[in-house]
Amino acid sequence: MSALIQQALALYSDLPPTERFHVHARAFSAPLMDVAVRTPGGTVADIGCGHGLLSAVLALADPKRTVRGVDPDPRKVAWARSALARLPNVRLAEGTVEETLATEAPGSFDAAVVCDVLYLLPEEKWPAFLRTVHGLLKPGGRFLLKEVEGDGSWKHRKALAQEWVMVSLLGRTKASGGMALKPRGEMLRLLADAGFNVEEVVELGRGYTTPHVLYVAEARLP
Ligand SMILES: C[S@@+](CC[C@H](N)C(=O)[O-])C[C@H]1O[C@@H](n2cnc3c(N)ncnc32)[C@H](O)[C@@H]1O
């Protein structure tokens, strides 16, 4: 595990064991460093930041960067606020991206990160959600969309079962009415329709039991 992830995990040492376990499990099961190393400096939105682990990594990696994390789950935002209180370059808000960043700061972000969030929204809301993210970014701003690929593999089916447990059985993840993992072609079409040029598709499933995939895109001029 990278030194940066360990540094970020140390911020959670005063949280209750259940929350610490959740954050450590996240660190082991998701390729957060692969997202972080492709994120530029400047002002970055972490949409659906959860406990804020990726926000912490982004803030620690570049103290000049400003990270704005937002999540609709009040419990998670409270844990994130408590853990990240010592990071002066992180601001956290409770709510959806439409309720917070989109009204407050359109066109002002150098980058936006959406890491394992889109699949929790109903599919019919995906186009509008992606257009909202586009609207946050400066022209040429970078969008990092980390998803689990719906490729029909055993890893895909395992990931769906795991998410069902997290959302419906344990209530650890707050869904917004959706649970769909899409194939790459469909994701590329959605991103293009929302105004993004996809520059790179990074397969990150190797070494994980989940078919992680990262879309690295640039916001075209409106
Ligand atoms: C699997 S967690 C990922 C958390 C974090 N991005 C990470 O990579 O560790 C999914 C997060 O999406 C959040 N979420 C659910 N619906 C959302 C929405 N409509 N807008 C933004 N975030 C949402 C959940 O509250 C949850 O914290």
Side-chain angles (χ1 to χ4, degrees), residues 117-124 126 147-148 156 158-169 173-182:
V117 175
L118 191 66
Y119 73 99
L120 294 167
L121 273 65
E123 282 176 62
E124 61 273 16
W126 290 15
E147 280 287 289
V148 171
H156 164 202
K158 186 233 67 174
L160 267 182
Q162 187 176 313
E163 286 311 315
W164 179 81
V165 170
M166 290 299 280
V167 171
S168 306
L169 207 59
T173 301
K174 181 180 166 69
S176 291
M179 181 63 66
L181 306 175
K182 291 290 177 189

Side-chain angles (χ1 to χ4, degrees), residues 86-87 90 101 103 108-109 112 115 137 162 164 179 183 208 220:
R86 276 168 285 164
L87 298 180
V90 179
L101 306 179
T103 47
S108 66
F109 285 84
C115 186
L137 291 167
Q162 187 176 313
W164 179 81
M179 181 63 66
Y208 294 95
R220 290 195 302 265

